[in-house]
Amino acid sequence: MGDPKAFLNIPRQEAGYRPIHERINDFSQVEQTLNSHERKLQASRCMDCGVPFCHWACPLGNIQPEFQDALYKGKWREAYQILTRTNDFPEFTGRICPALCEKSCVLKLSCDAPVTIRENEAAIAEAAFREGYIMPAQPARNGRKVAVVGAGPAGLSVAVRLNATGHEVTLFDSKPMPGGLLRYGIPNFKLDKAVIDRRMKILEAEGIKFEMGVTVDVRNLPAGFDAYALCTGTPTARNLDIPGRELKGVHFALEMLSQQNRILDGETFTKEQAVNAKGKRLIVIGGGDTGSDCIGTGIRQGAVSVTQIEIMPQPPVGHNDATPWPQWPVVLKTTSSHEEGCIRRWCLTSNRFIGKNGKLTGVEVEEVEWLPATDGARPTMKLTGKKEIIEADMALLAMGFLKPEQPQTPENVFVAGDAANGASLVVRALADGRKVAKKINEYLIQKIN
């Protein structure tokens, strides 16, 4: 701990976002960065707590105090080495992770000003790429082969870990490019796809094989491998099966998000195929991160208005007595996309989609009340009868994803990430990938030797 009093003298400073009037006209990353001097000052605020709750809260088990100290002292290479002991993709998590570590930082719990751990992580990763610290490793091969089905966060995590131990790894994915949700679900203004491509080149140089555009039947896996990892995510979005669902203009969120990312990657779509909000009144059903991504994308496409509705009550700002630490704080989250202009409403359920000539013209919504839970049960939703119609030309369903059911598999087949646990955070998928890679390695050592 280089400066034991820094947390008293140096306030938390976030890099912030590009100006709204500028960023809504492109899909470039909205988040800015601090210069190296300011970044080191932010790292100095880490108190190197005797019990580092940040480390405890991180699914990957990142060693935050150690890499903060190295960063503060200007030891960027050492900071990267510490960070990558536990995290193979800090350039991803440093941009899109909700930073569970920061929610558990003692400075968050004591004065609501945690260390800027996530931003520091991204800065360390960028310095490593910029300065050439990252060199492809060439592990000695042991003759064992592993197939990883799904090149999303979990699959990439499994592949990197197994490749590092000497196994020959082949990644299969039905999409033309690797990344999964990172590439086809998260907008470029949060994660530029050049960041993914840069890392994939390293993985290829390390010997990982990519078989893209290949659909693998998990019940009929490709032959010639000693073990398999199923990392197929949660492909089925939660539907809203109400009258009018068939109307033109009602889409799943990923139909829009994925298509926009593919367009930015050079693909083209016909007018009939396009899922675009230009000139339309957009309603986003679902109040989570995917819904937020739809808002930012819709605004950039030229929506004339954007409304986001959520069935749950509006959470409080800053602190919620109902979710004290160490629970995840359920508080009002205002993202960069929300700042760009949208109407946000809570306690609304959707009754039916309304249309004319087969096209969406509005959504009938109804206010709901949430009755307190009793005897440990969940709160109960009650319809109030207060209905209204929100005019809309496009509706995006952003209500999460269904946990897939996996078939019975042989002992050499393992399941990782969202495919095993249901939809969750990228950082949790990466962590589970590491755990499953360890299990596969242990299996191969035991069975093949």
Side-chain angles (χ1 to χ4, degrees):
M1 184 178 178
D3 187 351
K5 294 184 178 180
F7 74 97
L8 296 172
N9 304 320
I10 299 172
R12 174 182 167 94
Q13 180 183 0
E14 298 179 10
Y17 304 120
R18 295 162 54 210
I20 292 176
H21 71 274
E22 173 188 308
R23 71 186 193 235
I24 62 173
N25 294 310
D26 59 48
F27 282 87
S28 298
Q29 291 184 160
V30 300
E31 193 166 69
Q32 303 181 116
T33 187
L34 302 178
N35 61 44
S36 297
H37 173 70
E38 292 173 330
R39 184 56 64 202
K40 289 193 287 185
L41 287 179
Q42 288 304 299
S44 75
R45 297 182 67 244
C46 177
M47 299 186 295
D48 192 15
C49 301
V51 179
F53 298 138
C54 54
H55 167 77
W56 166 82
C58 177
L60 285 165
N62 283 348
I63 314 169
Q64 288 89 347
E66 280 80 353
F67 73 70
Q68 302 295 341
D69 183 59
L71 173 55
Y72 164 63
K73 294 175 179 176
K75 300 178 180 179
W76 292 83
R77 184 192 292 267
E78 181 181 329
Y80 182 76
Q81 291 171 341
I82 295 170
L83 180 54
T84 51
R85 289 178 197 170
T86 55
N87 187 354
D88 295 300
F89 305 99
E91 69 272 27
F92 301 161
T93 53
R95 285 175 166 83
I96 62 171
C97 185
L100 284 71
C101 52
E102 292 188 25
K103 305 303 184 292
S104 293
C105 176
V106 171
L107 290 178
K108 164 68 176 177
L109 306 177
S110 60
C111 58
D112 197 28
V115 176
T116 54
I117 301 172
R118 180 187 60 79
E119 290 188 13
N120 293 355
E121 182 176 308
I124 292 168
E126 289 309 302
F129 277 103
R130 184 175 62 248
E131 300 299 328
Y133 300 157
I134 304 173
M135 301 297 293
Q138 300 298 330
R141 297 300 168 186
N142 55 33
R144 305 182 187 107
K145 296 183 178 181
V146 181
V148 179
V149 183
L156 293 173
S157 184
V158 170
V160 167
R161 289 291 91 213
L162 290 176
N163 185 69
T165 58
H167 307 299
E168 185 178 305
V169 179
T170 302
L171 268 165
F172 294 89
D173 199 287
S174 60
K175 296 292 192 296
M177 298 286 283
L181 177 69
L182 297 170
R183 184 178 297 277
Y184 295 104
I186 297 175
N188 280 32
F189 57 78
K190 289 173 63 177
L191 177 64
D192 192 288
K193 301 311 173 273
V195 175
I196 302 174
D197 296 337
R198 180 178 62 182
R199 178 63 72 172
M200 295 306 105
K201 290 179 181 178
I202 293 173
L203 301 192
E204 284 186 304
E206 291 182 334
I208 296 176
K209 299 178 181 179
F210 290 84
E211 295 288 343
M212 297 293 104
V214 177
T215 300
V216 174
D217 182 353
V218 297
R219 293 173 174 81
N220 186 23
L221 294 168
F225 295 93
D226 301 301
Y228 302 83
L230 306 183
C231 308
T232 48
T234 51
T236 305
R238 183 172 285 110
N239 197 12
L240 184 57
D241 191 14
I242 57 176
R245 174 63 179 87
E246 75 287 350
L247 290 169
K248 185 176 181 180
V250 182
H251 304 275
F252 288 117
L254 278 188
E255 292 181 58
M256 177 207 220
L257 298 176
S258 176
Q259 187 180 98
Q260 181 59 60
N261 285 356
R262 292 165 67 185
I263 289 172
L264 293 172
D265 202 37
E267 292 190 50
T268 58
F269 297 87
T270 65
K271 184 178 180 180
E272 290 72 26
Q273 294 172 322
V275 184
N276 194 291
K278 184 176 181 179
K280 298 176 181 177
R281 299 162 296 179
L282 172 63
I283 183 169
V284 178
I285 302 175
D289 288 336
T290 301
S292 168
D293 293 343
C294 291
I295 293 168
T297 301
I299 289 172
R300 284 160 178 76
Q301 290 181 344
V304 296
S305 66
V306 183
T307 301
Q308 182 182 38
I309 64 173
E310 165 63 50
I311 198 170
M312 299 301 294
Q314 179 177 349
V317 177
H319 177 74
N320 189 342
D321 290 333
T323 56
W325 186 84
Q327 297 181 58
W328 174 260
V330 180
V331 296
L332 182 64
K333 182 178 181 180
T334 300
T335 68
S336 62
S337 294
H338 291 133
E339 292 177 354
E340 293 162 3
C342 76
I343 299 170
R344 303 175 71 183
R345 299 183 63 184
W346 287 265
C347 287
L348 290 179
T349 188
S350 304
N351 288 338
R352 62 189 177 105
F353 295 111
I354 301 169
K356 184 177 181 181
N357 299 324
K359 297 181 180 180
L360 180 74
T361 59
V363 183
E364 182 187 273
V365 298
E366 182 174 351
E367 289 186 17
V368 300
E369 293 180 357
W370 287 93
L371 305 179
T374 57
D375 300 326
R378 293 183 177 183
T380 303
M381 186 185 79
K382 177 184 177 183
L383 297 173
T384 65
K386 299 177 182 177
K387 301 177 182 179
E388 65 176 289
I389 294 175
I390 299 177
E391 296 181 344
D393 309 296
M394 174 183 279
L396 296 176
L397 310 183
M399 304 180 300
F401 301 85
L402 301 177
K403 181 179 178 180
E405 293 185 8
Q406 300 295 343
Q408 292 291 327
T409 57
E411 64 174 6
N412 66 337
V413 177
F414 301 78
V415 186
D418 290 359
N421 307 310
S424 188
L425 303 174
V426 167
V427 67
R428 290 201 173 105
L430 294 174
D432 195 56
R434 291 177 71 97
K435 293 177 183 177
V436 170
K438 183 179 179 181
K439 292 179 181 178
I440 293 174
N441 186 53
E442 292 171 348
Y443 166 80
L444 291 172
I445 293 174
Q446 178 184 0
K447 295 294 181 179
I448 306 299
N449 284 346

